[in-house]
């Protein structure tokens, strides 16, 4: 009787592990299939565009001036630090 129970328990354990293994294999196959389909569609779209990129790199915003706001206690130090930079004269000069 005991060997039959032990063999039945082992078959039950294997039957319990089978859905877990099947789910992992299904996820792996889905990952591989998705990678293949993605690569093929990417190559097809690249070929249809004639090898051109679909975006352009542009510098769209460049500031024309900067405003520096500091406390009066450190204004002399700020003027000294900024003194070597080119100024456009767009704002008031600190005294």
């Amino acid at each position: 009787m005991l060997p039959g129970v032990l063999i039945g328990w082992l078959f039950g354990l294997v039957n319990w592990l089978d859905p877990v293994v099947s789910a992992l294999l299904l996820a792996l196959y889905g990952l591989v299939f998705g990678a293949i389909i993605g690569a093929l569609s990417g190559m097809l779209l690249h070929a249809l565009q004639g090898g051109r990129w679909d975006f352009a790199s542009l510098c769209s915003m460049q500031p024309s001036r900067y405003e520096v706001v500091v406390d009066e206690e450190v204004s002399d130090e700020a003027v000294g630090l900024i003194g070597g930079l080119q100024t456009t004269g767009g704002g008031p000069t600190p005294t």
Side-chain angles (χ1 to χ4, degrees):
M1 174 106 178
L2 188 59
V5 170
L6 194 58
I7 291 172
W9 179 76
L10 287 174
F11 281 136
L13 184 64
V14 170
N15 192 24
W16 179 77
L17 287 177
D18 189 40
V20 174
V21 172
S22 297
L24 291 175
L25 283 175
L26 183 63
L28 180 66
Y29 289 150
L31 179 70
V32 169
F33 184 72
I36 290 171
I37 294 298
L40 290 175
S41 65
M43 286 190 310
L44 177 68
L45 288 174
H46 186 69
L48 289 175
Q49 290 177 349
R52 294 185 316 268
W53 293 102
D54 60 346
F55 66 91
S57 177
L58 300 174
C59 294
S60 60
M61 294 179 59
Q62 292 184 351
S64 61
R65 65 185 177 111
Y66 295 95
E67 293 185 19
V68 179
V69 180
V70 295
D71 292 330
E72 283 186 47
E73 295 86 27
V74 294
S75 63
D76 292 334
E77 183 181 352
V79 169
L81 289 173
I82 298 176
L85 299 177
Q86 178 184 6
T87 59
T88 60
T93 57
T95 57

